[in-house]
Amino acid sequence: SAVISQKPSRDICQRGTSLTIQCQVDSQVTMMFWYRQQPGQSLTLIATANQGSEATYESGFVIDKFPISRPNLTFSTLTVSNMSPEDSSIYLCSVAQGAGSTEAFFGQGTRLTVV
Amino acid sequence: AQKITQTQPGMFVQEKEAVTLDCTYDTSDQSYGLFWYKQPSSGEMIFLIYQGSYDEQNATEGRYSLNFQKARKSANLVISASQLGDSAMYFCAMRGPSGGSYIPTFGRGTSLIVHP
């Protein structure tokens, strides 16, 4: 199983600022995903982070708002840019070893509050 | 496209009793995986149990078991001997090759409250 360290665990930010969330995995993984979970809601996929190429974004999410980096097979960052109170959510990093892997693992999550 | 449906927004159970959390799914994939996660108030997602679509036996992990009925496309989670620490949100998810992406799809979740 993969152990994922996600930082920060929580933050309170001023509107208009940006926050970068880090996701570090203890082993090389093929697939990394970033999710957003708004209060009382389920998880919504933001993007799939691809090593060595640009992230693939889901409908409703754009690179200018949520830039993602994936410099190697063990690390990724998600930046929430120009934040507004509507960005207050839990952001989760998830990894999977490959297409046929049986499990998907999650980081501890980042609880973001924008004031 | 894949879809997960959890029809129970909230469930209550008495400590030490068993509880079943419902999950139905829809997919055109032949090969897929079904997952259950627990999310306590801290926000982290804790992997509980996995069932592969070709697994003939129901998955079990300690007090958790997955009641997999493939023909009915259901994958209910059974928690035996509930404990106060089981109070949390529970999410059902699936993962398959749909569209080549293998991206996990999540249900809306069920809030479980265990009473002493």
Side-chain angles (χ1 to χ4, degrees):
Chain A
S1 63
V3 177
I4 304 169
S5 175
Q6 186 175 338
K7 295 189 293 186
S9 59
R10 59 176 62 229
D11 207 342
I12 300 173
C13 300
Q14 297 289 326
R15 68 177 67 200
T17 63
S18 299
L19 176 71
T20 296
I21 303 167
Q22 298 181 358
C23 180
Q24 178 74 55
V25 191
D26 69 342
S27 59
Q28 293 185 343
V29 294
T30 306
M31 311 180 82
M32 296 183 79
F33 308 100
W34 286 98
Y35 288 87
R36 180 177 74 182
Q37 185 182 23
Q38 294 176 302
Q41 303 295 316
S42 186
L43 282 70
T44 301
L45 182 68
I46 297 172
T48 302
N50 307 310
Q51 194 264 336
S53 65
E54 293 216 349
T56 303
Y57 289 83
E58 296 300 301
S59 176
F61 298 96
V62 295
I63 187 171
D64 289 346
K65 176 67 175 176
F66 297 101
I68 287 171
S69 77
R70 178 100 194 260
N72 55 53
L73 292 175
T74 63
F75 186 77
S76 178
T77 66
L78 168 75
T79 299
V80 186
S81 303
N82 188 25
M83 289 183 284
S84 67
E86 291 72 32
D87 294 321
S88 298
S89 297
I90 297 174
Y91 292 85
L92 292 132
C93 165
S94 175
V95 305
Q97 293 289 10
S101 67
T102 60
E103 297 172 351
F105 301 95
F106 283 85
Q108 303 93 323
T110 297
R111 189 181 294 271
L112 171 63
T113 303
V114 183
V115 297
Chain B
Q2 301 171 348
K3 184 178 180 181
I4 294 282
T5 302
Q6 294 180 255
T7 58
Q8 305 155 315
M11 289 286 287
F12 297 87
V13 65
Q14 191 129 22
E15 192 178 11
K16 299 181 185 177
E17 293 187 348
V19 62
T20 298
L21 306 183
D22 294 342
C23 173
T24 58
Y25 61 92
D26 191 20
T27 182
S28 57
D29 294 329
Q30 296 300 309
S31 175
Y32 51 89
L34 295 155
F35 308 80
W36 277 93
Y37 293 90
K38 172 184 177 182
Q39 187 180 42
S41 57
S42 61
E44 66 178 307
M45 291 287 281
I46 302 169
F47 168 76
L48 295 178
I49 197 167
Y50 166 85
Q51 178 86 40
S53 58
Y54 290 117
D55 295 341
E56 294 186 352
Q57 293 197 343
N58 288 341
T60 60
E61 289 286 347
R63 294 187 298 112
Y64 304 108
S65 61
L66 199 153
N67 184 1
F68 181 46
Q69 298 187 39
K70 192 171 183 177
R72 297 179 61 185
K73 293 189 175 179
S74 73
N76 298 338
L77 177 70
V78 180
I79 305 174
S80 62
S82 298
Q83 301 172 357
L84 296 179
D86 294 334
S87 295
M89 284 292 294
Y90 288 82
F91 290 94
C92 180
M94 74 175 300
R95 186 164 181 246
S98 180
S101 61
Y102 285 92
I103 295 171
T105 302
F106 288 82
R108 297 175 66 86
T110 296
S111 174
L112 175 66
I113 296 176
V114 180
H115 289 299

